[in-house]
């Protein structure tokens, strides 16, 4: 294909722009990774760190040999996996009827669900609710309150609405009930949007810490992000703590734990990415 | 129609199933929860009067320091056994605890013992809102005799902090290391390179040192890439304290003027003189121009990387080679941080800026005021953990031979994660008064640290706020704006954006007009009441 000079210049410009953008996004990771693999002295040196100048695995050994890190990671993994799966099941079961035009009072139901997008109880009522539900200190406090996302529901509903009713009709003639239709016809046809919603939910779960702060008194069940926050915010210059009850984490250890908590979710991204754009666009435009 | 009906049935069945699942989860967790959830004020109040003397008293203990991982940990169990109490832990984060705690309070979950970091402003608000209990000094003296003796030996006036509206709110808390002020530290190699065998002693000498640090290439790399000093611009109260204290002032403390009236440091002539000097140094390039955005981490790195040659916001303990602030990181890169003395100013004054030992008291929940047995029990426990060697060692260091060993008097903690503070419950969680009894210092300060202290601290006079921590009504209304006004002016005056003549007068006028006058009046009123 012939390209005019203008187009070529534009292409070059695009390439430079995208490269620059990538560097801006990748560099912080490289920097932190490089610090985490450096000796403590090397980590103190100023300037740009792409590669550790003196390699040391001290920080990673520290992080990987710490029991509380693994335990918190387990909690976060639990909430991410269980929370995401349950969210998808629940959303599908809610979105499917709402996407069918023959559901009586469909507009009314949709409206009461949408209203929750605009009004929230606020922190204290939410706390009281969670407390009276008996969720304080339960690991399910990470999963149940956030199980249902109205925004995701609307996206999913819109996607389902794009699936022709005729597909259902044939299944119904063959004797399939609604649940069967949902799980054997509708859901398999909606993988792009489900993958997108799964990614949103999973990333949200992975990064969540505030619920652990508010609702979890049992410190053995805190999430990895709360643990991370605790280690990283520790003040460098807290002068003269009486008894060394908590050792200050060196910069390299902080960097190592930051990488350690970011890696798993980073690894998930590329696998789901191909669904990503299609999922959002299709889900939001049709309807 | 029939078809539609079936569909509805399915939907209803599904909803019911979900409800079941959710409530089942809730049911299981209730058991777990009941052990931990804080009894609310109303629950405590409706308790039957205690029939037997030996009935177990339940104490809800909140703290944001060293929160133990598990309930029923070693230290908790030991206290429970000894005092026949049942402790419910409310574990808060060290940072960000107030957000958590406010929600608990708003949900009517008021603990019996409040977190260490509650400050005097919180106290005043909570006293007004009837969230905390007022206490009786005589009762505390009766049930906490050892504590009272220890407190009186150090600071009998510590009661002032918790005294508002004619009542006492909480058990006085002091932290004697707070009286140890900041000591300036210098790069030893640099001092030698510019021909100084010891750190500068006067401001005049310091100016010479900073000039040579900046222009004399003390790191011998042939480049002009050094500054005399920087400052913690992110926390302006710690900015350039060595220069201000040489003028016998901290801009962020109240002091007495020549007539014996209380006056705020920022608007005194001493501050003006100190700012004149600092702005002169800034203009001459002796001060790192990036000081405005620096925090301790950057100061530490700048010193270690030979960008600056002096740091003046470290305590004596930071000069130990293992300190994570300045000295330790500097040693990693081969630089030695050597302590000086507080500098002598133009009038011969020499002070070390200090926060002071007084802190907000240990606060007790409102419900404790009506429950004599519980209150007295709490006093007994706090007396034991703060002054009795057994109770103190238990709460501060855990279990002998497991989490710590004794080397003479000195407590050596074991570096084993499985017996760390969060596992066993030691630290400050069950002991908010770790530092009241100064005779315990020999157990926490190692012989090496004692030696270090002896080499630095003798003769150092702390510069203290004349009022100390105090809840002031006028501060609630004006203080936020006043501090912003002050921070902004101080930095502008140093960097030369504002001058120290007309602009200082204007700042002083603005400060007084924006509520500073009211604050000053109230400060004087409080001072006069205390010194009647």
């Amino acid at each position: 294909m012939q390209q005019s000079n203008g187009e070529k210049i534009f292409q070059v410009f695009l390439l430079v722009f995208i490269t620059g953008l990538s560097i801006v996004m990748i560099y912080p990771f490289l920097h932190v990774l490089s610090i985490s693999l450096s000796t403590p002295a090397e980590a103190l040196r100023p300037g740009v760190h792409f590669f550790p100048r003196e390699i040391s695995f001290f920080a990673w050994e520290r992080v990987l040999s710490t029991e509380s890190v693994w335990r918190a990671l387990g909690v976060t993994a639990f909430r991410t996996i269980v929370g995401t799966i349950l969210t998808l099941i629940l959303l599908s079961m809610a979105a499917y009827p709402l996407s069918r035009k023959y559901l009586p009072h469909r507009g009314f139901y949709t409206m009461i669900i949408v209203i929750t997008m605009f009004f929230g109880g606020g922190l204290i009522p939410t706390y009281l609710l969670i407390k009276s539900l008996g969720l304080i200190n339960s690991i399910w406090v990470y999963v149940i309150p956030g199980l249902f996302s109205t925004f995701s529901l609307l996206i999913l509903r819109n996607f389902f609405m794009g699936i022709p009713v005729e597909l259902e009709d044939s299944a119904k003639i063959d004797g399939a009930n609604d649940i069967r239709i949902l799980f054997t016809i509708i859901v398999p046809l909606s993988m792009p949007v489900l993958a997108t919603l799964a990614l949103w939910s999973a990333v949200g779960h992975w990064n969540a810490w505030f619920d652990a702060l508010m609702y979890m008194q049992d410190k053995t069940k805190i999430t990895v992000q709360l643990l991370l926050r605790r280690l990283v915010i520790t003040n460098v210059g807290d002068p003269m703590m009486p008894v060394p009850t908590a050792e200050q984490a060196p910069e390299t250890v902080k960097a190592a734990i930051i990488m350690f908590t970011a890696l798993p979710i980073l690894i998930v991204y590329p696998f789901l990415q191909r669904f990503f754009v299609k999922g959002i666009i299709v889900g939001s435009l049709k309807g | 129609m029939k078809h539609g009906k079936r569909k509805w049935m399915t939907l209803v069945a599904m909803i019911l199933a979900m409800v079941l699942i959710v409530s089942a989860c809730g049911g299981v967790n209730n058991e777990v929860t009941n052990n931990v959830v804080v009894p609310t004020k109303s629950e405590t109040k409706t308790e039957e009067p205690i029939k037997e003397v030996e009935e177990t008293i339940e104490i809800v203990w909140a703290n944001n320091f060293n929160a133990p991982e598990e309930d029923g940990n070693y230290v908790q169990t030991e206290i429970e056994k000894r005092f026949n109490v049942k402790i419910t832990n409310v574990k808060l984060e060290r940072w960000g605890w107030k957000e958590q705690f406010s929600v608990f309070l708003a949900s009517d979950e008021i603990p019996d013992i409040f977190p260490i970091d509650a400050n005097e402003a919180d106290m005043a608000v909570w006293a007004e809102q009837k969230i905390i209990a007022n206490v009786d000094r005589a009762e505390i003296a009766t049930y906490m005799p050892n504590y009272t003796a220890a407190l009186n030996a150090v600071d009998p006036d510590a009661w002032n902090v918790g005294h508002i509206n004619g009542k006492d709110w909480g058990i006085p808390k002091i932290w004697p290391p707070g009286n140890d002020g900041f000591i300036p530290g210098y790069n030893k190699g640099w001092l030698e390179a510019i021909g100084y065998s010891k750190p500068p002693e006067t401001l005049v000498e310091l100016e010479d040192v900073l000039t040579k640090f900046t222009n004399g290439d003390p790191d011998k790399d042939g480049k002009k890439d050094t500054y005399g000093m920087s400052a913690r611009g992110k926390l302006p109260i710690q900015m350039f304290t060595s220069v201000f204290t040489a003028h016998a002032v901290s801009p962020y403390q109240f002091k007495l003027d020549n007539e014996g009236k209380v006056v705020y440091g920022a608007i005194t002539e001493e501050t003006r003189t100190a700012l004149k000097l600092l702005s002169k140094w800034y203009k001459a390039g002796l001060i790192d121009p990036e000081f405005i955005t620096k925090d301790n981490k950057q100061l530490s790195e700048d010193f270690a990387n030979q960008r600056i040659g002096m740091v003046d916001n470290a305590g004596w303990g930071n000069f130990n080679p293992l300190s994570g602030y300045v000295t330790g990181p500097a040693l990693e890169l081969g630089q030695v941080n050597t302590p000086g003395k507080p500098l002598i100013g133009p009038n011969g004054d020499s002070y070390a800026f200090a926060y002071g030992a007084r802190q907000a008291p240990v606060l007790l929940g409102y419900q404790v005021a009506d429950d004599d047995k519980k209150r007295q029990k709490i006093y007994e426990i706090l007396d034991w953990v703060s002054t009795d060697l057994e109770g103190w060692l238990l709460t501060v260091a855990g279990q002998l031979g497991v989490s710590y060993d004794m080397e003479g008097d000195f407590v050596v903690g074991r570096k084993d994660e499985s017996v760390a503070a969060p596992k066993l419950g030691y630290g400050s969680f069950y002991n908010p008064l770790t530092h009241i009894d100064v005779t315990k210092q020999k157990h926490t300060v190692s012989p090496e640290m004692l030696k270090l202290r002896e080499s630095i601290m003798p003769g150092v006079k702390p510069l203290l706020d004349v009022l100390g921590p105090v809840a002031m009504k006028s501060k609630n209304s004006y203080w936020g704006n006043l501090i912003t006004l002050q921070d902004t002016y101080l930095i502008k005056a140093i960097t030369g954006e504002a001058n120290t003549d007309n602009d200082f007068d204007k700042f002083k006028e603005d400060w007084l007009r924006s509520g500073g006058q009211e604050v000053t009046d109230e400060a004087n009123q409080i001072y006069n009441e205390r010194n009647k």
Side-chain angles (χ1 to χ4, degrees):
Chain A
M1 200 171 71
Q2 278 291 340
Q3 281 186 329
S4 72
N5 279 344
E7 277 173 335
K8 275 181 195 158
I9 291 170
F10 183 67
Q11 290 288 334
V12 171
F13 171 77
L14 263 189
L15 209 66
V16 171
F17 179 71
I18 299 280
T19 315
L21 204 64
S22 313
I23 291 172
V24 166
M25 288 174 183
I26 293 169
Y27 173 66
F29 284 99
L30 265 183
H31 176 82
V32 175
L33 184 68
S34 143
I35 295 263
S36 76
L37 288 169
S38 298
T39 54
E42 199 52 48
L44 283 169
R45 293 200 191 277
V48 179
H49 294 251
F50 279 111
F51 301 102
R53 274 163 279 192
E54 272 176 67
I55 289 201
S56 151
F57 292 100
F58 160 79
W60 281 92
E61 275 165 24
R62 265 282 289 279
V63 169
L64 297 182
S65 65
T66 307
E67 181 210 338
S68 54
V69 172
W70 286 104
R71 201 170 45 203
L73 191 74
V75 171
T76 298
F78 166 83
R79 70 175 293 170
T80 305
I81 294 166
V82 175
T84 304
I85 292 173
L86 288 182
T87 297
L88 289 185
I89 294 175
L90 198 69
L91 284 178
S92 310
M93 294 201 305
Y96 175 49
L98 290 177
S99 69
R100 300 295 100 167
K101 291 210 168 69
Y102 53 77
L103 178 75
H105 311 299
R106 187 172 71 121
F108 174 72
Y109 294 127
T110 311
M111 190 184 74
I112 41 178
I113 290 172
V114 169
I115 283 177
T116 63
M117 272 176 82
F118 303 108
F119 302 98
L123 187 55
I124 293 158
T126 310
Y127 176 79
L128 289 172
L129 173 68
I130 299 227
K131 190 180 147 198
S132 54
L133 286 173
L135 284 173
I136 300 278
N137 283 332
S138 159
I139 197 153
W140 291 97
V141 78
Y142 298 139
V143 176
I144 291 174
L147 211 49
F148 199 82
S149 151
T150 314
F151 183 67
S152 301
L153 174 81
L154 292 182
I155 288 192
L156 192 59
R157 185 195 74 136
N158 288 358
F159 192 93
F160 283 176
M161 282 164 87
I163 298 173
V165 192
E166 288 73 18
L167 284 174
E168 269 171 62
D169 288 343
S170 59
K172 270 181 194 159
I173 291 164
D174 288 339
N177 63 18
D178 288 308
I179 298 216
R180 182 146 181 189
I181 292 172
L182 172 62
F183 287 106
T184 52
I185 297 179
I186 307 288
V187 166
L189 285 172
S190 313
M191 275 335 227
V193 71
L194 286 173
T196 308
L197 298 181
L199 191 66
W200 284 352
S201 169
V203 172
H205 274 295
W206 194 267
N207 290 336
W209 58 274
F210 192 71
D211 46 7
L213 176 81
M214 290 311 302
Y215 310 129
M216 192 49 75
Q217 277 289 305
D218 186 342
K219 298 294 167 197
T220 56
K221 292 188 210 152
I222 62 167
T223 62
V224 80
Q225 303 295 347
L226 184 61
L227 190 75
L228 176 70
R229 175 181 184 273
R230 207 186 272 166
L231 288 175
V232 176
I233 306 188
T234 310
N235 201 346
V236 184
D238 234 1
M240 290 184 287
M241 279 309 289
V243 179
T245 44
E247 217 182 317
Q248 268 172 26
E251 289 304 309
T252 53
V253 174
K254 287 183 189 173
I257 187 165
I258 290 173
M259 277 321 284
F260 182 68
T261 53
L263 271 183
I265 205 78
L266 274 181
I267 291 168
V268 175
Y269 250 98
F271 292 103
L272 288 176
Q273 203 199 17
R274 61 197 174 102
F275 294 116
F276 206 63
V277 177
K278 195 179 168 198
I280 310 178
I281 292 175
V282 173
S284 52
L285 287 187
K286 286 190 183 168
Chain B
M1 261 333 271
K2 203 175 154 200
H3 185 76
K5 229 182 207 170
R6 199 195 299 149
K7 204 168 65 188
W8 273 102
M9 291 285 284
T10 321
L11 202 71
V12 170
M14 265 160 45
I15 291 168
L16 279 177
M18 274 316 290
V19 169
L20 270 178
I21 293 169
V22 172
S23 60
C25 297
V28 172
N29 295 314
N30 257 338
E31 290 166 10
V32 187
T33 315
N34 285 343
N35 294 331
V36 194
V37 156
V38 184
T40 62
K41 193 165 73 183
S42 50
E43 276 169 32
T44 328
K45 273 190 168 169
T46 51
E47 252 174 32
E48 299 256 311
I50 296 160
K51 286 164 205 150
E52 279 175 44
V53 185
E54 279 308 303
E55 200 168 324
T56 307
I57 293 173
E58 204 180 313
I59 295 172
V60 183
W61 199 308
N63 210 336
N64 67 323
F65 271 69
N66 310 113
E69 274 177 5
E70 310 251 7
D71 296 315
N73 54 71
Y74 174 74
V75 176
Q76 177 187 351
T77 321
E78 290 297 306
I79 297 174
E80 287 177 343
K81 273 195 293 202
R82 187 181 176 97
F83 290 94
N84 188 28
V85 291
K86 161 101 189 54
I87 295 175
T88 304
N89 302 313
V90 178
K91 297 168 252 177
L92 303 163
E93 288 290 313
R94 174 81 170 83
W95 310 104
W97 65 275
K98 210 175 265 181
E99 294 164 353
Q100 278 176 292
F101 197 60
S102 307
V103 173
F104 293 164
L105 291 182
S107 310
D108 208 12
E109 291 181 5
I110 298 173
D112 297 325
I113 299 176
F114 276 50
I116 289 187
D117 271 347
N119 63 29
E120 62 280 359
D122 300 326
M123 174 186 71
V125 173
W126 292 336
E128 191 120 307
Q129 295 172 341
K130 295 200 164 53
I131 287 175
I132 52 172
N134 62 297
V135 299
D136 177 31
R137 289 189 197 192
E139 192 184 38
I140 288 180
T142 311
Y143 288 93
M144 302 181 73
N146 302 314
Y147 159 85
T148 308
L151 180 73
N152 287 339
V154 186
D155 184 3
D157 292 333
W159 283 98
N160 282 337
V161 186
H163 191 79
I164 9 176
N165 304 332
K167 285 179 184 163
D168 291 309
W169 305 88
I171 302 151
K173 181 170 88 220
I174 47 171
W175 196 65
N179 279 333
D180 296 334
F182 287 153
I183 302 293
Y186 307 86
N187 185 319
K188 199 169 177 217
W190 283 22
L191 281 177
E192 282 160 8
I194 60 160
Y196 271 78
S197 59
K198 57 184 174 64
E201 284 167 4
T202 64
L203 269 189
V204 180
E205 274 179 25
L206 177 67
E207 184 171 327
D208 182 50
V209 165
L210 294 181
T211 311
K212 287 175 179 161
F213 274 2
T214 309
N215 301 321
D217 191 23
D219 57 348
K220 307 266 185 241
D221 65 351
K223 278 183 267 179
K224 189 176 176 309
D225 56 359
T226 53
Y227 292 99
M229 69 185 302
S230 189
R232 190 177 185 183
K234 286 276 180 191
L235 190 62
I237 189 175
Q238 294 188 1
M239 236 171 30
F240 302 111
T241 55
S242 55
V243 179
F244 284 112
T245 53
H247 294 86
V249 71
S250 161
Y252 292 84
Q253 288 180 344
F254 285 98
K255 62 174 286 178
L256 290 181
D257 65 8
N258 295 334
E259 294 162 18
K261 287 228 164 66
V262 179
V263 58
Y264 191 58
I267 57 167
T268 55
E269 287 306 306
E270 292 91 321
T271 294
R272 189 204 297 260
T273 319
L275 286 174
K276 268 195 203 313
L277 186 64
L278 283 168
S279 96
K280 183 181 129 197
W281 288 357
Y282 185 88
K283 214 170 162 195
L286 312 186
I287 293 171
D288 169 20
E290 288 170 26
F291 80 90
I292 304 158
T293 57
K294 293 277 160 91
D295 210 338
N296 277 358
K297 182 172 178 277
Q298 288 81 27
L299 292 179
S300 213
E301 287 175 1
D302 284 354
F303 190 94
N305 285 295
Q306 304 202 62
R307 188 179 144 88
I308 55 174
M310 175 198 189
V311 167
D312 67 352
N313 68 333
W316 65 266
N318 289 121
F319 290 94
N320 109 64
L322 296 174
S323 166
Y325 184 50
V326 186
T327 311
L331 274 179
E332 292 266 9
L333 297 184
Q335 304 302 313
V336 178
N337 180 24
T338 188
K341 289 271 179 211
L343 298 147
I344 301 168
N347 298 324
D349 293 312
S350 159
Y351 293 100
F353 169 85
Y355 281 99
R358 287 182 199 171
Q359 298 183 333
V362 177
L363 305 173
L364 303 177
Y366 178 72
Q367 64 281 359
V368 179
D370 303 331
D371 189 338
D372 294 344
K373 288 226 162 52
K374 181 188 271 189
R375 197 173 58 248
Q376 289 153 9
K377 202 61 138 183
I378 290 174
Y379 291 159
E380 283 167 21
I381 296 175
L382 290 179
D383 192 53
W384 187 65
V385 298
S386 61
T387 54
D388 185 279
L389 188 59
E390 190 192 340
W392 186 84
L393 281 174
L394 169 76
T395 48
V396 170
Q399 192 174 6
L400 182 65
V402 176
S403 63
Y404 75 96
D405 303 285
M406 298 294 284
E407 270 176 23
D409 281 333
F410 183 57
V411 175
V412 184
R414 291 197 179 176
K415 283 195 191 296
D416 175 0
E417 209 207 340
S418 66
V419 293
K423 303 278 180 195
L424 266 61
Y426 60 92
S428 305
F429 192 88
Y430 298 106
N431 191 351
L433 298 166
T434 46
H435 279 67
I436 293 287
D437 184 356
V438 287
T439 62
K440 300 285 188 290
Q441 275 179 16
K442 60 177 184 260
H443 304 299
T444 51
V445 185
S446 68
E448 297 86 58
M449 289 295 273
L450 272 179
K451 237 194 286 121
L452 181 70
R453 202 195 144 122
E454 275 311 301
S455 69
I456 297 176
M457 292 310 281
V460 172
K461 270 183 293 176
L463 183 72
L464 298 170
D465 190 302
V466 69
L467 293 177
V470 57
M472 288 163 74
K473 283 209 176 71
S474 53
K475 268 194 174 182
N476 291 349
S477 330
Y478 305 115
W479 202 240
N481 285 338
L482 289 176
I483 285 285
T484 313
L485 194 67
Q486 173 181 358
D487 290 347
T488 318
Y489 174 72
L490 289 185
I491 286 173
K492 280 188 177 170
I494 294 168
T495 58
E497 251 183 89
N499 65 44
T500 45
D501 302 312
N502 296 339
D503 291 345
F504 185 87
D505 294 334
K506 190 176 170 294
F507 156 70
K508 183 173 169 178
E509 198 182 298
D510 282 351
W511 191 88
L512 286 169
R513 217 185 32 223
S514 317
Q517 188 60 52
E518 284 86 339
V519 176
T520 309
D521 291 346
E522 195 181 351
N524 274 293
Q525 190 195 333
I526 293 171
Y527 181 79
N528 293 333
E529 262 170 39
R530 284 184 186 174
N531 295 289
K532 255 183 211 162

